[in-house]
Amino acid sequence: MIKVLIVDDQVMVREGFSVLLNAMPDIEVVGEAVNGRDAVHKVAALRPDVVLMDIRMPEVNGLEATREIVAADADAKVLVLTTFDLDEYVYQALRAGASGFLLKDASAGQLADGVRIVAAGEALLAPTVTKRLISEFSRLGGPRSAAQERIGELTERETEVLVLVAQGLSNGEIAAHLVVAESTIKTHVSRILVKLGLRDRTQAAVFAYETRLVTPGL
């Protein structure tokens, strides 16, 4: 069972997500939190596999909560939920260590699949806004000179795999594209993360766009 903590300041949202997710045979909602501060405490107490995190909340918002949760546990998986497809807090949350991003109007199936994807360690960016999201990452930019140097540490095949990760392909899809075993791709991805000092596939995808290894729309 995938244990989920739902964090949102609106009761109806929390209850709605709980009903949808508890109806899934492989997902269990183990708790709810009303704001970021409450979320940090609940994560420590309940140890959920995935945290569904709203961004805009009183007292402590989802961004600050995500930072605290990831700082306390590098393996924590936070799936950001928002009503706004171009919310600057979303960009900051992903930089802070969130594992993915999904709009609140996602269907029950999309929500459940999102939880499963993030629980499995994959990246999740809502398909309808991925290009705009990545464009914003590119616009905001970062210390590109140092990042460009880090790309030089990758082998040609690792660079190729990183590009495909940034394009949203799963390990299985990358393996099929490159005609190699999926276990080989998993090894490449692990080495990429270590060499670049990145936390997960989401940050790897962001890195690829920020350094212009991949450009939006390609």
Side-chain angles (χ1 to χ4, degrees):
M1 295 291 285
I2 301 173
K3 298 185 296 183
V4 176
L5 174 70
I6 298 174
V7 185
D8 198 291
D9 60 321
Q10 298 182 42
V11 176
M12 290 182 64
V13 172
R14 295 197 306 273
E15 292 182 348
F17 285 157
S18 291
V19 170
L20 292 175
L21 293 177
N22 278 327
M24 303 296 166
D26 57 337
I27 299 175
E28 177 188 7
V29 176
V30 295
E32 299 177 6
V34 300
N35 57 45
R37 180 175 292 110
D38 190 22
V40 173
H41 295 315
K42 292 284 178 61
V43 167
L46 300 173
R47 310 298 294 177
D49 299 306
V50 177
V51 180
L52 286 181
M53 180 74 73
D54 185 28
I55 290 292
R56 297 169 181 257
M57 296 181 291
E59 295 189 43
V60 175
N61 64 33
L63 172 61
E64 293 302 324
T66 296
R67 284 176 177 157
E68 288 190 43
I69 290 168
V70 173
D73 181 4
D75 293 325
K77 295 179 174 61
V78 179
L79 176 56
V80 173
L81 290 167
T82 181
T83 307
F84 309 97
D85 61 1
L86 284 177
D87 187 337
E88 74 172 285
Y89 286 116
V90 172
Y91 316 135
Q92 295 179 51
L94 291 177
R95 278 201 169 96
S99 298
F101 159 58
L102 197 62
L103 294 180
K104 283 186 177 180
D105 63 1
S107 67
Q110 289 173 325
L111 179 63
D113 285 343
V115 167
R116 296 183 185 109
I117 289 169
V118 169
E122 299 281 349
L124 179 68
L125 299 177
T128 57
V129 296
T130 297
K131 289 183 180 179
R132 281 178 292 170
L133 178 68
I134 294 302
S135 294
E136 182 67 7
F137 271 124
S138 299
R139 185 186 69 78
L140 293 174
R144 288 201 179 86
S145 57
Q148 289 286 359
E149 293 177 6
R150 287 155 64 195
I151 288 179
E153 299 176 15
L154 302 180
T155 65
E156 183 176 346
R157 178 46 66 101
E158 287 168 350
T159 302
E160 190 174 9
V161 170
L162 176 57
V163 168
L164 295 173
V165 167
Q167 292 174 345
L169 275 66
S170 67
N171 285 344
E173 291 169 335
I174 296 173
H177 180 78
L178 298 179
V179 196
V180 297
E182 186 172 346
S183 59
T184 300
I185 299 303
K186 290 181 179 179
T187 299
H188 283 315
V189 172
S190 295
R191 288 176 177 168
I192 290 168
L193 297 180
V194 170
K195 287 183 178 181
L196 298 181
L198 302 173
R199 180 174 180 269
D200 55 24
R201 295 170 70 94
T202 304
Q203 292 195 342
V206 170
F207 179 93
Y209 281 96
E210 286 185 326
T211 56
R212 301 293 196 269
L213 186 64
V214 179
T215 55
L218 296 182

